[in-house]
Amino acid sequence: MPIDRPTDLDAALASLSDVPSAHLLAGGTDAMVEITFDQRRPEHIVALRRIPELRGYRVDDDELTFGAMLTYTQVERELASTAPGLAMAARTVGSPQIRNTGTIGGNLGTASPAGDTLPWLLALDARVELRSVRGSRELSLADFVTGPKRTAREPDELITAVRVPRVEGPQHVAKLGPRNAMVISVAMAAVIVDTTNRRVRAAFGSVGPRPIRASDAEQQVSDAIDWDALTCPDDAIVHFADACAEASQPISDHRSTADYRRHAVAVLAARSLRRCLAA
Amino acid sequence: MSSASTTTRDRVRDGLGQDADRPDGTPKVTGGFAFSSDLHARGMLWGRTLRSPHPSARIVSIDTSAAEAMAGVTTVVTAADVPGKATYGLEHADQPVFASEVVRYQGEPIAAVAAEHPELAVRALEAIEVEYEVLDPVTDPEHAMAAAAPIHPDGNVVRHLPLRHGDVEATGEVVVEGTYEVGMQDQAFMGPESGLAIPADDGGVELYMSTQWLHVDRDQVAACLALPPDQVRMTLAGVGGAFGAREDVSLQVHVCLLALRTGRPVKMLYSREESFFGHVHRHPARMWFRHHADRDGQLVKVEARLVLDGGAYASTSSAVIANAVCFAGGPYRVPNAQIHGYAVRTNNPPCGAMRGFGVVQACYGHESQMDKLADALGMDPVELRLKNALKPGDTLLTGQVITGTAPVREVIEAAVAHPLPPEPSDDDPALALPGGAGLTAERGDVRRGVGFGVSIKNLMFSEGFDDYSTAGVLLELDGHGQAIATVHCASAEVGQGFVTLAQQITRERLGVDQVMLRPADTAIGSAGSSSASRQTWMSGGAVELACDAVREALFERAVARRDLALDDADHPLFDLRDGHVVEAGGSASIPLVDLLAEGPIERIEVHRHAPTDPLDEDGQGNAHVSFAFAAHRAVVDVDPDLGLIRVVQIATGQDVGRALNPRAVVGQIEGGIAQGVGLAVMEEIVIEDGKVRNPSFTDYLIPTALDMPEVLATVIEQPEPGAPFGAKGVGEPPTISSTPAVAAAVRAATGLALPRVPIHPEDIALTPARDG
Ligand SMILES: Cc1cc2nc3c(=O)[nH]c(=O)nc-3n(C[C@H](O)[C@H](O)[C@H](O)COP(=O)(O)OP(=O)(O)OC[C@H]3O[C@@H](n4cnc5c(N)ncnc54)[C@H](O)[C@@H]3O)c2cc1C
């Protein structure tokens, strides 16, 4: 099995253009599981670790750009104050070993309904940057993730980065699972009280085929918040929680039940918003 | 210990009672230890097993021709190729080596292949065509018991064990009743099943295998291969944990058959997923109890009906149900009882041995009942337990009188004497709250609860089983003229520390520093199983006997020396100290090395525990050898809205007889508690229509460091009469009552009844509270 190890972006795009069926290897934490379970037998691999353009992140006045190869450990350590919600999400991923090697680009590439960075990214209207020898394009995360583990990426495209607007205001990310660490989300909530745009942003993971944005709930509660005092009447928070639960589309499986997941969305939404307002 | 040691036994370096290091400790930590999965032989083939995807089906046809025709595939075997007995099993040989007509559980082996490469073996499996007529699985034990057509010719009730004790009509003034369930737990050992079989020149086979009991494997393999037992030679390969899951045969027959057919070494190694189908699990249980007591809280009677789901094959189900029935009353004085236990066959995965062996299930039931009773009596749950605590001379439900130690009061008092954890505070680290790294709760969302559990566990094999162990000790001079002892015993080191103990005993009894261990193998007699908390007593006892026989031989040599003045040559009193044989009371002494210059001394001894009796038709009889007791107090934090749990602390008192290696004892206590906590709050094999839904560590969750509570342990040392060195087995008790203690603590925190473990988040979050 050939393995290409390009050392710059152009070489990687060229490889991918030559062999669009090639498997892109980032941290390999999803890939190795699939190979072990014989769900994937790559014929050709393009390894991404040596490509400097994919690494790191950029902090601009109005925008944050995360390179596809940014690891969870880097997010936790370096972005806790710039992107607090993303850092909280990163901390919930797997174990230290997984966080040292797993990447944001891989989380997007897999696009699992339980991908733990996706709710926060979705809540911030993230835009995914895709590049190929044919050029580059940007898709909203909502358009990028088309279904459970399905994306709009063309075979010859590489995810190079993901961008979010830089917003002020408190954020909270909460991940629910039946174990206190190293667990797949049964429900995941990202709530951002965006004081820049005076709106609450809320999205949820593991409660639908794709990460879910609770737009109606956001709208109602944003209207109810006193943005100068950053307070919200209790019944509006309860409504917000119920509307978030309403927006979720959970299923029952061996990990949990739909009823419990819907209930959890409400609890996590209310708690996360309260935590933001109390911060 | 100090080098100034002179004459007392206790001062032997790394002798008994000391925290001797494990001989395999450093290699295990540094990665140098060879586990069975690391085995390799030149020119070896890779074996794989084809398994049924259906829990119940008729096999219409099996076509292996395409697989056999593949390049690099050396052989394919099915039931038709098994030369000897078609079935095996620990208690009843009811399990086919390969299914040929019907499959009775998902994952049942149908064929095996050997190929030049593991990947080729996988592809060969894909090329085998099996046509099934899929049947509806029988998955509910109650239905299985009532079924007109049994799943297996041996019937669906593997064992019905009634127990009647005292006056079965007796009633108490206070009566509480409850139905409880326990889910299917997996042993979740670290190293999946693996073994290497090498064909031998004499037509036999050598098998290197991670297992719990070499000789019982050997006998089953030999029978299925139609070989005399001495042509199946087994050696223990590095074992990555066992907890009962390696007591039954898994790949042993398959891998030997492949090696004999191909004439080449064959290795088999299960993946984690396959491992979930490759070994037995803990029996799920459904248990009804009715407890009667008088107004003062004195137990009057226990009634119970216990149903264990044994899955498709018998395995050790009959012994497991016996334990559940015999100890259904718990570590309490219960004058009257009527109990019915059933181990039932279904199309679920086979269940058998797991740490605690039937007592785990019963204990969850009786301890839940004790709390209910305390509630009904308005009595403190600890006081109720103390009031009824067994003591030496008391009678068990089986009519057996406890002749050994029974420090039930002491273990309870030790558990509750430990300080409680600090009160919850806003300064607690966020990771320490329920939900842990997920940051789902704040302090205000969390309620604390405390609960108790107390247990009794039989040690070693019961019901008249001829339980013994064999050990050999060789004492000789090494190349430098120093004394060196070599111990040979087939006792399987599965992590419990027998290798350490064997060295400690030998150092202690022979006073030599250098003690080597030969690999555990079938070149010596059986040591019995590394299960039932039995190896310290059984094989430790055998090593002691062998050491004593070597001592005797040394003393005989000493007697033969003329320079030792003897008062009474027929009954000399000697001791072994500081490398010398010394005359008791006298000053005469001979260096050990001088005596060994005459040649090595080797002795092999067999050790049996006191005999036991079968249970009679009323479940009465002296069926057990000895009992160990433990008490646990659990403190939990619960987030009732989300149903998440964080076990904060477990305090325990455990009856150990004597701690021969205190550090190893605490290791067993902590590890056992981890498994008990796991069963209480997360560990469950999820089965739907006979199919396992979570055969991986992604979805079969076991506690991580963040789920593991602080453990405060007190060992109660009351030497057990009849036990070598007074030591009781310590492996199982910590697992048993920790589960009900955690469940009780969660009930205390939530006010919910929670009649089932593991407690899942939705059981808490979606159940309306009892009293609002
Ligand atoms: C033990 C364990 C625990 C885990 N826990 C969590 C968890 O708690 N939360 C969670 O969300 N996930 C978890 N995961 C899943 C996984 O770690 C994450 O999804 C991670 O982000 C994947 O990143 P990676 O760099 O390892 O991806 P890889 O495995 O290398 O790739 C994943 C997929 O994305 C594609 N891909 C990678 N990079 C690119 C790119 N630049 N452009 C286009 N496609 C690309 C790959 O081809 C592949 O299909 C866990 C995995 C394991 C093994």
Side-chain angles (χ1 to χ4, degrees):
Chain A
M1 176 182 55
I3 303 177
D4 296 348
R5 295 185 179 82
T7 52
D8 64 39
L9 187 56
D10 287 340
L13 297 179
S15 286
L16 204 47
S17 166
D18 291 345
V19 192
S21 65
H23 178 81
L24 293 170
L25 184 69
T29 58
D30 277 322
M32 284 313 297
V33 173
E34 291 170 4
I35 291 168
T36 303
F37 279 93
D38 209 16
Q39 294 155 356
R40 186 188 286 279
R41 287 183 186 171
E43 303 286 330
H44 192 120
I45 282 180
V46 178
L48 305 177
R49 205 188 295 268
R50 286 171 182 74
I51 304 171
E53 295 96 318
L54 300 182
R55 289 208 288 260
Y57 54 90
R58 211 172 65 226
V59 180
D60 296 317
D61 286 347
D62 56 348
E63 194 177 63
L64 301 173
T65 308
F66 309 114
M69 291 299 287
L70 184 64
T71 66
Y72 296 113
T73 299
Q74 278 179 288
V75 173
E76 256 186 282
R77 293 208 182 129
E78 299 169 32
L79 290 166
S81 58
T82 321
L86 187 63
M88 288 181 221
R91 174 62 185 85
T92 71
V93 174
S95 59
Q97 295 90 329
I98 298 293
R99 297 197 289 276
N100 283 341
T101 177
T103 63
I104 303 264
N107 213 224
L108 287 164
T110 296
S112 158
D116 281 329
T117 64
L118 306 185
W120 184 85
L121 291 170
L122 182 66
L124 277 172
D125 301 302
R127 301 192 64 78
V128 181
E129 184 187 270
L130 295 158
R131 294 271 287 269
S132 69
V133 290
R134 296 174 289 118
S136 80
R137 60 174 179 148
E138 262 190 23
L139 286 179
S140 71
L141 184 64
D143 291 335
F144 174 76
V145 181
T146 54
K149 299 200 173 181
R150 285 205 301 274
T151 71
R153 182 180 82 88
E154 295 294 334
D156 66 343
E157 282 181 319
L158 194 64
I159 303 165
T160 44
V162 58
R163 277 185 243 291
V164 296
R166 213 172 157 189
V167 302
E168 297 294 323
Q171 323 184 339
H172 189 73
V173 168
K175 165 171 164 176
L176 179 71
R179 181 160 75 179
N180 290 307
M182 265 284 275
V183 68
I184 294 181
S185 291
V186 157
M188 161 64 116
V191 173
I192 298 160
V193 176
D194 170 0
T195 53
T196 309
N197 301 293
R198 296 204 154 187
R199 57 179 291 199
V200 171
R201 300 163 173 273
F204 301 86
S206 288
V207 290
R210 310 186 288 159
I212 285 176
R213 185 81 183 265
S215 309
D216 291 349
E218 288 181 356
Q219 195 58 53
Q220 288 170 26
V221 80
S222 299
D223 293 344
I225 284 183
D226 174 342
W227 286 97
D228 297 316
L230 270 195
T231 56
C232 183
D234 217 54
D235 60 339
I237 295 181
V238 173
H239 277 137
F240 167 70
D242 289 345
C244 289
E246 194 66 28
S248 68
Q249 306 158 19
I251 53 162
S252 292
D253 60 16
H254 59 281
R255 292 186 187 135
S256 191
T257 66
D259 286 349
Y260 175 74
R261 286 184 159 118
R262 197 174 293 109
H263 164 86
V265 166
V267 175
L268 294 178
R271 284 187 184 175
S272 299
L273 181 57
R274 287 208 169 92
R275 274 173 99 144
C276 288
L277 295 174
Chain B
M1 295 302 289
S2 97
S3 56
S5 74
T6 49
T7 53
T8 55
R9 288 236 171 81
D10 304 17
R11 300 274 192 84
V12 172
R13 189 178 64 83
D14 285 341
L16 293 172
Q18 298 176 43
D19 290 335
D21 287 342
R22 298 183 62 103
D24 55 357
T26 304
K28 276 182 173 162
V29 170
T30 55
F33 183 84
F35 287 97
S36 56
S37 52
D38 299 318
L39 291 167
H40 185 89
R42 194 187 295 275
M44 75 184 186
L45 297 167
W46 293 83
R48 294 276 312 215
T49 317
L50 181 72
R51 295 175 183 278
S52 166
H54 309 294
S56 177
R58 198 169 305 286
I59 298 175
V60 179
S61 64
I62 305 175
D63 183 354
T64 60
S65 54
E68 272 162 309
M70 286 169 65
V73 175
T74 318
T75 193
V76 182
V77 291
T78 64
D81 302 299
V82 177
K85 202 166 164 178
T87 56
Y88 63 85
L90 280 171
E91 290 170 356
H92 309 282
D94 69 344
Q95 182 156 4
V97 175
F98 294 110
S100 55
E101 285 159 25
V102 286
V103 292
R104 300 187 176 90
Y105 73 97
Q106 182 202 19
E108 181 158 4
I110 291 179
V113 303
E116 298 287 346
H117 188 276
E119 185 65 24
L120 272 174
V122 173
R123 295 189 186 200
L125 294 185
E126 288 166 6
I128 299 175
E129 280 177 33
V130 185
E131 194 187 326
Y132 299 95
E133 180 194 333
V134 178
L135 306 172
D136 280 341
V138 180
T139 58
D140 180 333
E142 297 289 347
H143 293 167
M145 276 196 271
I151 294 166
H152 189 282
D154 293 355
N156 284 358
V157 177
V158 175
R159 186 175 189 184
H160 168 211
L161 178 60
L163 181 147
R164 284 171 280 264
H165 181 66
D167 173 10
V168 298
E169 304 299 332
T171 54
E173 293 159 291
V174 181
V175 177
V176 293
E177 196 174 330
T179 299
Y180 305 94
E181 281 183 30
V182 177
M184 187 185 288
Q185 188 179 20
D186 187 59
Q187 296 84 351
F189 50 43
M190 292 73 79
E193 293 81 353
S194 45
L196 174 69
I198 303 176
D201 293 340
D202 65 352
V205 62
E206 277 156 25
L207 175 59
Y208 297 81
M209 180 82 200
S210 48
T211 181
Q212 285 178 248
W213 187 356
L214 291 165
H215 288 74
V216 82
D217 281 3
R218 179 200 61 182
D219 292 348
Q220 292 175 90
V221 171
C224 294
L225 297 182
L227 289 173
D230 65 359
Q231 284 192 29
V232 178
R233 289 171 289 270
M234 286 190 65
T235 304
L236 187 73
V239 182
F243 313 110
R246 293 186 213 272
E247 225 178 26
D248 292 77
V249 159
S250 57
L251 54 77
Q252 287 87 328
V253 184
H254 302 158
V255 74
C256 290
L257 181 58
L258 291 171
L260 290 176
R261 286 271 296 216
T262 58
R264 286 171 63 181
V266 178
K267 176 171 174 171
M268 285 184 106
L269 164 61
Y270 289 175
S271 68
R272 177 60 62 184
E273 184 181 18
E274 185 171 19
S275 176
F276 272 94
F277 298 100
H279 62 250
V280 298
H281 312 290
R282 189 190 298 292
H283 290 73
R286 195 176 160 84
M287 308 175 289
W288 167 86
F289 284 88
R290 185 152 61 201
H291 277 60
H292 300 247
D294 66 20
R295 286 255 162 258
D296 299 333
Q298 212 75 55
L299 287 170
V300 173
K301 188 171 75 170
V302 171
E303 297 171 89
R305 181 175 182 275
L306 314 174
V307 179
L308 301 186
D309 181 351
Y313 294 104
S315 179
T316 47
S317 280
S318 22
V320 172
I321 190 65
N323 270 7
V325 168
C326 290
F327 303 104
Y332 308 113
R333 265 186 316 281
V334 182
N336 310 297
Q338 174 149 25
I339 298 165
H340 286 278
Y342 302 87
V344 183
R345 195 189 299 274
T346 65
N347 291 120
N348 288 322
C351 290
M354 182 175 174
R355 201 175 198 170
F357 204 79
V359 181
V360 165
Q361 294 90 330
C363 183
Y364 171 65
H366 66 65
E367 287 306 273
S368 300
Q369 283 287 98
M370 290 302 276
D371 285 340
K372 231 180 217 185
L373 187 59
D375 207 33
L377 289 160
M379 192 183 258
D380 177 74
V382 175
E383 193 193 323
L384 177 67
R385 287 169 167 90
L386 284 172
K387 189 170 201 112
N388 290 285
L390 282 170
K391 55 182 187 342
D394 282 343
T395 303
L396 300 170
L397 297 187
T398 52
Q400 181 167 359
V401 174
I402 300 181
T403 52
T405 61
V408 182
R409 165 170 290 274
E410 289 86 339
V411 296
I412 297 173
E413 286 172 345
V416 299
H418 284 289
L420 285 162
E423 285 299 312
S425 108
D426 288 338
D427 300 333
D428 291 341
L431 287 182
L433 293 171
L439 303 181
T440 48
E442 292 178 279
R443 237 317 138 200
D445 302 318
V446 173
R447 277 189 253 154
R448 181 157 284 186
V450 180
F452 298 94
V454 193
S455 57
I456 173 172
K457 175 69 182 56
N458 54 326
L459 304 173
M460 298 164 288
F461 284 17
S462 299
E463 294 191 80
F465 190 89
D466 180 22
D467 198 6
Y468 66 92
S469 176
T470 316
V473 171
L474 166 69
L475 187 63
E476 61 190 333
L477 295 177
D478 70 6
H480 307 286
Q482 300 294 310
I484 179 168
T486 305
V487 180
H488 191 196
C489 181
S491 167
E493 173 59 50
V494 298
Q496 82 276 35
F498 177 73
V499 287
T500 323
L501 184 74
Q503 291 184 321
Q504 287 179 271
I505 293 170
T506 309
R507 285 188 201 110
E508 185 81 32
R509 301 302 290 164
L510 298 182
V512 292
D513 269 349
Q514 295 188 86
V515 181
M516 304 292 288
L517 293 160
R518 270 180 66 175
D521 59 27
T522 51
I524 188 168
S526 174
S529 180
S530 291
S531 66
S533 303
R534 67 181 281 292
Q535 287 296 22
T536 293
W537 186 312
M538 298 307 303
S539 294
V543 172
E544 184 194 20
L545 287 181
C547 285
D548 288 351
V550 169
R551 283 166 65 102
E552 275 309 310
L554 276 172
F555 296 164
E556 278 162 23
R557 284 186 186 178
V559 172
R561 295 271 173 134
R562 292 211 273 143
D563 53 348
L564 192 61
L566 292 171
D567 294 337
D568 179 351
D570 291 333
H571 302 287
L573 282 170
F574 292 111
D575 205 352
L576 209 58
R577 290 175 199 157
D578 292 339
H580 288 71
V581 170
V582 288
E583 188 193 2
S587 56
S589 81
I590 311 177
L592 190 60
V593 291
D594 287 2
L595 294 171
L596 289 175
E598 294 175 24
I601 299 172
E602 182 167 22
R603 292 290 180 275
I604 295 175
E605 295 289 329
V606 173
H607 179 230
R608 284 187 158 74
H609 63 64
T612 60
D613 298 329
L615 293 165
D616 67 17
E617 65 277 10
D618 289 325
Q620 301 294 291
N622 293 334
H624 308 292
V625 189
S626 172
F627 310 93
F629 304 89
H632 294 89
R633 181 192 68 199
V635 179
V636 305
D637 279 346
V638 183
D639 175 349
D641 284 342
L642 290 176
L644 300 185
I645 299 165
R646 170 90 167 85
V647 184
V648 177
Q649 181 199 70
I650 293 205
T652 178
Q654 186 170 323
D655 158 35
V656 304
R658 194 177 153 212
L660 301 182
N661 186 324
R663 182 170 61 195
V665 169
V666 171
Q668 287 295 313
I669 290 175
E670 290 176 346
I673 286 173
Q675 274 180 317
V677 166
L679 178 60
V681 303
M682 64 179 83
E683 291 192 38
E684 180 167 14
I685 296 184
V686 180
I687 316 247
E688 243 172 62
D689 300 326
K691 291 194 179 179
V692 177
R693 298 296 311 277
N694 56 341
S696 77
F697 282 164
T698 306
D699 284 313
Y700 182 87
L701 301 181
I702 56 176
T704 68
L706 264 186
D707 302 283
M708 184 62 195
E710 169 192 34
V711 171
L712 306 174
T714 302
V715 296
I716 304 297
E717 296 196 274
Q718 292 186 2
E720 171 77 336
F725 316 107
K728 290 185 177 181
V730 300
E732 291 173 287
T735 309
I736 300 170
S737 32
S738 46
T739 302
V742 170
V746 178
R747 289 182 191 127
T750 59
L752 299 172
L754 301 173
R756 185 181 194 282
V757 285
I759 301 168
H760 295 299
E762 54 269 30
D763 301 337
I764 298 172
L766 300 186
T767 310
R770 241 192 323 206
D771 27 35

